[in-house]
Amino acid sequence: MTNWNNLDTLASFKELQQSSPVDLKSVMSGEEGAGRVKKYQIPMAAGFTYDYAAKQVDDDILRSLSALANEAQLADKFKELYNGAVINTGENRLVLHHLTRGQLGDAVVADGADKRSFYVEQQKRIADFADKVHKGEIVNEAGEKFTSVVQIGIGGSDLGPRAMYIALENWAKKNGKFLMDAHFISNVDPDDASAVLAEVDVAHAIFILVSKSGTTLETLTNQSFVMDALKKDGLDPSKHMIAVTSETSPLADSPDYLAAFYMDDYIGGRYSSTSAVGGAVLSLAFGPEVFAAFLNGAAEEDKLAKEADPMKNPDMLDALIGVYERNVLGYPSTAILPYSQALSRFPAHLQQLDMESNGKSVNRFKESLSYPTGPVIFGEPGTNGQHSFYQLLHQGTDIVPLQFIGFKDSQLENDFTIQGSTSQQKLKANVAAQIIAFACGKEDEDLNKNFKGGRPSSIIVGERLTPEALGALLAHFENKVMFQGFLWNVNSFDQEGVQLGKTLAKKVLAGDMSDALKEYAGLLEI
């Protein structure tokens, strides 16, 4: 049985607080720097490598982090999670998103069903539906094939699936796997739905309504918006819509949908890309075999996350170093910097994943915490970010830890040589140069041109962005966030902060407002 204790009560953490951070300018220069790059790396799934040479750690600090992982029982807590313990204490729920891509431990039975079998059954149902759509066995009223798919959802029903679709869209086109173009409607702002509907041939589009409860205000509003557009075009909405929802929601088994595919309360929205939430849109867009490859990549990374030794577990070590930076070095934010245009929306997904999970100020027992928890997450793809916010990263007053993601080969293998090097070589040269520039800086008598350095970073390096690689990358960050939540002793699987705004918005619409709220309602002419 594991013990859930606050981070600042752990003896190994108190020892870690006495450690001295590494002088990056010194250790990353010359031969010592080259040796660190070779030494401080761990293999990941799908051919990735996690390299942390440019982090402010050395062998002594790494031993302290390993001791912290052991005392905090990180591996044991993960084992309890994937074996079906009630880890989501806020909502008294199991946490089972790992089961959507593989069986890591014992069979988990809940609600009278084996949950792995339940998730596999939904995947098979989605695959069968997608195949029939692609073969023209499921068609529109005119007997014509569907050519587009539109996902209607918000938060985890949008950010993850959208990021995954964008990441694989051009790969699918190159590899003959692009079967339907996908679009996403998330914002309740009517301009969002209007813009998407203007792009889409609605007569040949399938709309996926994603809502676990079947009551999400923004999603149901956008559904009505879409249904109205279909009716105005003389189309029957029930012939164009499917639902991804829970078996107990009002959307289940409804005649308003061609089909309904199910998720359950044990998978949070931000962890749902490998469930039916991501499965339906990705299987329709690229085919079920591409979604299966994506799941396989995630499953292989999950297996590595079971390792108790952090020096063999990239997800756990990344989490430990992040907590060291947050709670010992005092860095308040982290930037995610993928040097891949295909991952342009990946930082936005990780922003929700991390900040909604670990943006907590009370522990699992609803007691106030006296130490910082989740950092602010932001990011953009390189090299675009270099011409945006890297100025602050290099010379600003706050030190921001950096997580680079890079690939040896371009996703589409289409390149051009100019001025003696290819575009991909230039991209890789930029990320390598940034790591050293952040770590070592540059001295100049003109302080305006002086770079202090000492700014830590890690890099995850892969061969090429494929479905398997994307799955492994997603699982790495999901597991990192989970391990950090364990260390901070917070519940990473509820999101009470999301609910307050929803409740107040409903009061505004119902006219049940306080004086100040009435004034804002008046200002906005509600």
Side-chain angles (χ1 to χ4, degrees), residues 470-496:
L470 183 64
L473 199 60
L474 175 71
H476 171 83
F477 283 100
E478 288 183 349
N479 294 330
K480 173 192 173 180
V481 167
M482 172 192 70
F483 284 129
Q484 288 187 328
F486 291 165
L487 286 161
W488 286 317
N489 197 26
V490 299
N491 178 13
S492 301
F493 305 105
D494 65 4
Q495 58 283 329
E496 290 299 327

Side-chain angles (χ1 to χ4, degrees), residues 124-361:
K124 289 179 178 177
R125 292 183 63 233
I126 289 169
D128 181 62
F129 181 87
D131 284 339
K132 289 179 179 178
V133 169
H134 299 148
K135 292 175 182 176
E137 296 175 17
I138 295 176
V139 293
N140 69 2
E141 295 102 316
E144 299 163 336
K145 291 181 70 172
F146 290 107
T147 57
S148 298
V149 54
V150 181
Q151 179 126 321
I152 306 170
I154 197 166
S157 300
D158 168 72
L159 285 164
R162 187 194 295 253
M164 303 308 126
Y165 172 78
I166 292 171
L168 296 178
E169 179 181 10
N170 289 320
W171 174 91
K173 290 176 180 177
K174 175 180 173 56
N175 289 278
K177 302 294 184 181
F178 189 76
L179 304 177
M180 300 174 72
D181 64 301
H183 305 262
F184 297 83
I185 298 173
S186 58
N187 201 330
V188 75
D189 181 345
D191 290 344
D192 187 16
S194 296
V196 171
L197 290 171
E199 291 181 19
V200 173
D201 175 7
V202 294
H204 298 89
I206 288 181
F207 295 85
I208 307 173
L209 186 76
V210 184
S211 175
K212 185 191 302 183
S213 66
T215 61
T216 308
L217 177 64
E218 296 96 332
T219 302
L220 294 182
T221 299
N222 280 326
Q223 178 196 25
S224 297
F225 201 106
V226 167
M227 290 175 69
D228 182 67
L230 289 166
K231 290 174 182 177
K232 284 178 178 176
D233 279 5
L235 302 168
D236 180 357
S238 69
K239 304 298 184 183
H240 288 261
M241 293 193 128
I242 64 175
V244 175
T245 189
S246 68
E247 291 180 292
T248 58
S249 92
L251 310 181
D253 299 320
S254 169
D256 293 334
Y257 304 97
L258 281 167
F261 305 105
Y262 300 119
M263 52 178 163
D264 57 37
D265 287 335
Y266 309 124
I267 299 176
R270 56 197 177 275
Y271 296 95
S272 66
S273 292
T274 54
S275 75
V277 173
V281 64
L282 296 178
S283 295
L284 284 165
F286 307 135
E289 67 280 359
V290 172
F291 183 64
F294 170 65
L295 294 181
N296 287 339
E300 290 305 307
E301 187 65 22
D302 288 341
K303 291 175 185 176
L304 293 177
K306 293 174 63 177
E307 171 62 53
D309 181 358
M311 307 315 298
K312 299 177 183 177
N313 185 332
D315 308 357
M316 186 185 291
L317 182 59
D318 196 1
L320 287 159
I321 292 174
V323 168
Y324 171 64
E325 290 173 331
R326 185 77 174 104
N327 297 93
V328 177
L329 302 183
Y331 302 149
S333 57
T334 297
I336 310 293
L337 308 170
Y339 275 62
S340 165
Q341 187 60 29
L343 293 175
S344 60
R345 288 295 290 171
F346 197 60
H349 169 58
L350 297 185
Q351 190 175 59
Q352 186 205 12
L353 172 67
D354 202 314
M355 295 174 71
E356 197 167 84
S357 294
N358 291 335
K360 310 291 173 62
S361 57

Side-chain angles (χ1 to χ4, degrees), residues 378-396:
F378 68 96
E380 280 288 324
T383 56
N384 300 48
Q386 292 177 205
H387 297 267
S388 175
F389 51 79
Y390 277 36
Q391 169 61 44
L392 183 147
L393 300 183
H394 276 293
Q395 291 185 306

Side-chain angles (χ1 to χ4, degrees), residues 81 95-101 266-267 271 274 478-479 493:
L81 182 150
V95 176
L96 301 181
H97 55 276
H98 296 90
L99 271 180
T100 62
R101 55 245 196 177
Y266 309 124
I267 299 176
Y271 296 95
T274 54
E478 288 183 349
N479 294 330
F493 305 105

